[in-house]
Amino acid sequence: MVSHLLNATLGSEEADMPRNPPWTMDETLRAFALYLSLTKRERNDKANPHILELSRQTGRTPSSVYMKLANISAYDPNTIEEGNVGLPHGGKKDAEVWDMWREQGDALLERAVAMLPDETREGLGLTPAEALIAEYERNPVGGERMTIVSTRVNQSYFRNSLLENYENRCCLTGISVPQLLVASHIKPWAVADPETERLDASNGLLLNALHDRAFDKGLITVDFDGSVVVSPKVRHDNGGPNDTWLWAFEGRRMAAPRSHAPGRDYLEYHHDVIFQR
């Protein structure tokens, strides 16, 4: 079955190429860093420049890289993918790399990102800004440059997970303009457990920029049934902007995600600590 899938995915020129050797762990880590940085749409595009670059770097076909990313997705705890549909002999390492990330956290991610080509890191925005580099050169602190990079990858992964789970739409308004969509933490990043909570899709809502800000400041919250509650601190203004953009959503149910509904513990935290009563 896998071989049929492989042949169907490969182009005619790629199908004539020699069979790719098994992926090494270092190569798997490179693919893992790329996986965490790309949206589902980007991962599914074999012509994506980052997929092509990893293909050149590893000496494999773009289809091989594409299917490696599919293998990795099969073990992603934040997706609804089921089963392993990628390359043969790949599943063990693809499952293992997720376990390694859970155990080692940013240390593993920093190692994986460092293996990516310079062009890929720059294209994904994983090269610290020149101002930050200059600052660290004046005041060097071991590992801080890569910590910034790993944080960016983690946040990209969290956002991409929510984009997939909420089908690229604000769960309150249905807005689908990517530039206006924000991966909003229910329990804030600063206080969330970095190992179990920060990147959990159940700790997130995909909101437009306005309602993300309102949620972040406790002017709205979400009840356990998914309905919006507006803070009494927000004044009614006789049909003005407050009523139109906030009070009009009182009691409205947010769209349910494809998987990973908002966690009750996270919502309780928001109710008790963030929401303005």
Side-chain angles (χ1 to χ4, degrees), residues 144-163:
E144 285 212 34
R145 289 195 208 175
M146 286 307 297
T147 298
I148 290 175
V149 170
S150 62
T151 298
R152 288 177 181 172
V153 175
N154 285 330
Q155 291 175 341
S156 292
Y157 166 66
F158 183 71
R159 173 181 167 81
N160 293 340
S161 297
L162 293 183
L163 286 170

Side-chain angles (χ1 to χ4, degrees), residues 15-226:
D16 294 332
M17 296 178 69
R19 182 188 296 268
N20 288 301
W23 285 72
T24 66
M25 179 51 74
D26 279 357
E27 290 172 336
T28 299
L29 284 171
R30 295 176 204 173
F32 182 66
L34 187 60
Y35 173 86
L36 296 180
S37 303
L38 298 181
T39 65
K40 184 176 182 180
R41 180 176 299 176
E42 290 168 335
R43 297 195 309 266
N44 287 342
D45 178 11
K46 285 182 284 185
N48 179 278
H50 303 307
I51 289 178
L52 295 177
E53 184 59 38
L54 187 58
S55 167
R56 287 190 289 270
Q57 187 191 38
T58 59
R60 298 171 186 277
T61 65
S63 289
S64 176
V65 175
Y66 159 82
M67 297 188 72
K68 183 66 171 179
L69 297 177
N71 266 15
I72 292 171
S73 177
Y75 297 96
D76 185 344
N78 274 352
T79 70
I80 59 171
E81 303 293 337
E82 295 182 359
N84 189 314
V85 295
L87 298 169
H89 312 302
K92 183 176 180 180
K93 290 187 179 71
D94 302 324
E96 185 179 350
V97 75
W98 286 103
D99 292 335
M100 291 169 63
W101 189 34
R102 280 186 283 269
E103 293 169 3
Q104 301 176 35
D106 286 351
L108 179 83
L109 190 51
E110 290 159 12
R111 174 185 164 198
V113 169
M115 293 180 182
L116 292 173
D118 291 343
E119 296 84 352
T120 299
R121 290 201 303 273
E122 291 172 4
L124 293 171
L126 301 181
T127 301
E130 291 302 319
L132 289 174
I133 292 176
E135 177 65 23
Y136 289 137
E137 286 175 346
R138 286 193 297 270
N139 302 288
V141 179
E144 285 212 34
R145 289 195 208 175
M146 286 307 297
T147 298
I148 290 175
V149 170
S150 62
T151 298
R152 288 177 181 172
V153 175
N154 285 330
Q155 291 175 341
S156 292
Y157 166 66
F158 183 71
R159 173 181 167 81
N160 293 340
S161 297
L162 293 183
L163 286 170
E164 181 173 347
N165 282 334
Y166 287 97
E167 301 185 278
N168 301 287
R169 292 182 178 278
C170 168
C171 63
L172 180 55
T173 63
I175 287 173
S176 61
V177 180
Q179 295 89 336
L180 297 179
L181 297 177
V182 180
S184 187
H185 278 83
I186 302 171
K187 184 176 182 179
W189 174 277
V191 296
D193 187 307
E195 294 184 4
T196 61
E197 296 179 335
R198 280 185 177 174
L199 303 180
D200 180 4
S202 295
N203 187 25
L205 299 170
L206 190 66
L207 294 169
N208 69 80
L210 171 65
H211 291 104
D212 163 72
R213 185 69 170 172
F215 186 77
D216 182 59
K217 294 300 181 181
L219 299 178
I220 61 173
T221 192
V222 181
D223 211 342
F224 298 127
D225 65 356

Side-chain angles (χ1 to χ4, degrees), residues 219-221 228-232 234 246-250 275-276:
L219 299 178
I220 61 173
T221 192
V228 175
V229 180
V230 179
S231 167
V234 178
L246 292 172
W247 281 110
F249 293 92
E250 172 76 12
F275 186 59
Q276 297 189 38

